[in-house]
Every structure is written in C-alpha cells, then in structure tokens.
Amino acid sequence: MRHAPSFTSGPLRRAALSPLQHGLDFSRPGIITPGLLRLSAIVLSAAGMALMLISLRPFVSSSLVSETGGDGGSIVNQIGFLAAGLVFAVAMMCLASRKVLASLLTPSYLMLAVILAYSVAKAPDPDSMIRAVVLTVIGMFIAFSTIALPRSERDFQIALLAGAAAALAMSYGGLVVVPDLATHGYDAYEPQHAGLWRGHFSHKNVAGPVMCVIAIFGIYLMRTGHRLGGLIIFLAGALFVLKTGSKTTSGFFPLSIMIVMMAGLFGRSGAAILAFLVTLAGVAAATLGSLYSGRISYLIEDLLGDRTYTGRTTLWEFSLSKIPEQPWTGFGLYNFWSTDNVFLLDKPFESAWDYRFIVHGHNNYLDIVLNLGIIGGAVLLWVLFIGPMFNYAKARKIPGNRKIADMFFMIIVFAALLSFLETFFLARNDSLWLMHVFAVFGLHLAARFRLGEDPFPR
C-alpha cells in the first residue's frame, strides 16, 4: 500500500506540525516557542471563524427588499475587514507553509481572478466595484486562513469549536438581552415573519442556513472526539434552525447529512456524489421546473402550501427572461439587481412582487449567469460546486482526511441545494457566502495535504 506523502521533516518534527505547515523556517527559532506559535494559530483561526459567523455589525435587521449581502457598504465593515485582512496576511506569511499558498495557483482559481479583474475593468462605477471585490477577496482569504493556520487537525477543531460557540452565544444571548433585535418584528413587506428568530443575523433567511452549517460543525466535532461540545453545538444550531421557521432550510439540512453519510455507508465517495447529483436534479425540477410544469407546481403547493416559494417564482421568471440579453458575459458583477437595469423598468403590476426593488434573485445559479454570463458563470460554478466534488473524492482516499472532508462536503451539498432558493455567491462578507467558500477551500486543502492524524507514524 502506498502511504500518503508526509510533508513534515527536520526541526519542525518536534513541534508536531501538520503537513500544512511544512516549509516553515524561522531565522531565529528560539525567539518564539512552538507552544506560543501553536496558541497564536488557534486564536487567530478561532477569531477568523467568529468574525465570519458574527461580522462586525451584528443585529442589523433587513427584509427581503433591503438585504445588502453582508452590509458591505458599511464603513465599519470596510475598515474592519481591511484591518482583519492585513492581520491574517501577516499571520499567513509568518505561520503558514509556502506549499499551502502555492496550492491556490490552480487554473480555476486563476481564471476566477481574471473574471473578477474583468468585472472591475468593465464596471460602470469602478471605485465601488473595487471596494466590493476587495471585501470579497479579503473574506475569502480569511476563510482560507482559518483552515491553513492551525498546526494540526486537533488545533483546528479547538478553533472551530470556539468560533461556533461564540456565534451561538451571540445569537442566543441576543434573544435574552435584546429580543427585539434578535427576532423579526412587524415588516410591511414580510408580516408573516414576525416573531421568528434571526439572532444576530440580518434576516432569518441568513440565520437559518448559517445555523445549519454550525450544526454540521457539531456533527464533525462529535465524530472526532469532542462529543459533549459537538453535541451542544449541534443541538443549539438545529433548534435555532427550527425557530427561524424556514421549511426548505429545515428540509435541506437533514437531507445533506444523509447524502454525505452514504460515503461511509457504502465505503465509496462516489455513492455520496451520485446521491448528491440525483438530489440536485430533483430540487432543480421542484423549483425551476415548477415554472414550466403545472403538475409540479400544484404538488409543491400541496407539500409546502405555497407554489411560488414566497414569491420567488416571479423573480426566477424575470431572471430567465433577462439572461438572453447578455448571455455570454452577463450584466456585470453586482450590476443587475439594485441598478438601473432593473430600476428603470416599468412597474410589473401583473407580478406578485415588484422586482425593481429586490436586491437579488433568490437563486444562486440564475444570478451567477445574470451577473457573469455563461463564460464567467461556468468558471464560478466549477470553483464553487463541481471542483469540490472531485476534491472530495480525492480527500476521502486519504484515511486521516475522511471525517473533515465529510464535513466540508456536507456544507457544499447544503449550499448547492439552498442555491435554488437564495443568492450568496461572491457576497462580500456575508456569513453564508463565507461558510460556503470556507468549505470550498477546506476540500481544496484536504485533497492535497493530510490534515488528520498520520495513520502511518514514523
């Protein structure tokens, strides 16, 4: 049997570093002890996780017509995330392996960088586009750093537990201390949401999915020895999901768990991937397919009590009608919804929603093509969904990586299913987007490095 390659050697062996840390060489190693290095990496990773899950402006409410995708226009967020990005950049230069950083130079990531640069160059307002793209890239870098900085999988688990606990404490604490902010009040646009939990998040449609991800963290922690802490995180996250009142999110959550667990049940990653693709096709038929099939539409109404998915079908029909106007390159990143491309249209009296004042189309796939076109959209779909499937198959071939790969793929599966109802791609510092890209980078690293315990100790 061929052993997975070991990347730990030399004087670093005594520091018990993970393969991610191979290549570190300080000119005066005695200045900083291995213990202090390890603690610094755990603290930074936990802080990064908490920052992604909590943001710099918690308890800022919004409705479906005023969501801002992470409040990226806030001065507090702009300055705060720039400062955080600088801290993590310095930390990565000092604490992370050059091999890890070099692993990002893949064709798909480089093509994505070209697409972002093209979007900036062609933007009607380059200054605001640069700010938006910079915030998005910084968020992605922080997501990558939270995985790459810890010295071992055990340290990563500690950081993950601490970050998730901080987010749960913020949301549950908000329900006690500031219940008016932590729950939905009356909204003229969404009166049906009054009383539903949203915690420190801007909306229940963000709170529910992110809490699902936190519950997935709990499953991983339980499987890797943190039984009590993992169980508490799982139960707290799952309860919060139920209290957000989101039927689809509550349904996709256990479905994502069952899909990924099939890899362990059948002993093959292909079983989970096949189940994922079949489920993805089924959800596509149940959502976008309902626009073309009356039978599916009435079936959805029987199951959910609403064939329009809370008015989303109006947005999907409109999105599909606009894609042919700019099929190849799209309207530009962040340049369709909330712009004159929509504002200047006549009021749609015949539609359930006035889509002129909606900030996104509540469908990741349609909005990706609307913004980036077929060319850019194909690259982004590869980076966010297709590439991670291949990385998951590779990661599970490394025995020590199987549990952590399952966690990351569970998040990808959940995000892919939710993408038929929500939009969060490249959404600056939005928590749901950051959790998605966190899983993308996690599988990228798990496919290339051994993250878990070495099953062949030397």
Side-chain angles (χ1 to χ4, degrees), residues 209 213 216 252 256 276 280 364-365 384-385 408-422 424 432-433 435-437 439-440:
V213 174
I216 289 171
F252 288 154
S256 302
F276 169 47
L280 201 66
N364 243 354
Y365 305 109
L384 298 183
F385 300 108
F408 289 132
F409 191 55
M410 211 174 282
I411 298 171
I412 296 293
V413 170
F414 176 73
L417 298 179
L418 189 68
S419 288
F420 285 104
L421 297 169
E422 300 295 341
F424 46 88
L432 183 53
W433 156 247
M435 290 298 96
H436 185 177
V437 77
V440 170

Side-chain angles (χ1 to χ4, degrees), residues 122-125 129 331-337 339-341 371:
K122 294 297 182 179
D125 183 2
M129 176 61 72
F331 288 85
L333 185 60
Y334 316 125
N335 195 46
F336 183 72
W337 303 102
T339 70
D340 288 346
N341 289 314
N371 283 263

Side-chain angles (χ1 to χ4, degrees), residues 242-317:
L242 294 176
K243 291 295 185 178
T244 63
S246 176
K247 297 178 183 177
T248 50
T249 300
S250 299
F252 288 154
F253 173 44
L255 187 59
S256 302
I257 296 172
M258 289 188 291
I259 287 172
V260 176
M261 288 304 175
M262 292 187 72
L265 181 63
F266 291 96
R268 293 180 178 273
S269 58
I273 293 172
L274 178 60
F276 169 47
L277 293 175
V278 171
T279 305
L280 201 66
V283 175
T287 52
L288 298 179
S290 67
L291 301 178
Y292 305 100
S293 171
R295 182 173 297 179
I296 293 177
S297 180
Y298 285 115
L299 177 62
I300 295 303
E301 184 174 23
D302 290 338
L303 293 174
L304 301 179
D306 177 17
R307 76 177 73 174
T308 71
Y309 293 95
T310 324
R312 285 173 172 81
T313 52
T314 296
L315 306 180
W316 301 341
E317 289 174 338

Side-chain angles (χ1 to χ4, degrees), residues 36 106 118 134 229 350 388 392 394 446:
L36 183 58
T106 64
Y118 176 82
V134 167
E350 73 287 353
Y392 175 62
K394 294 177 184 177

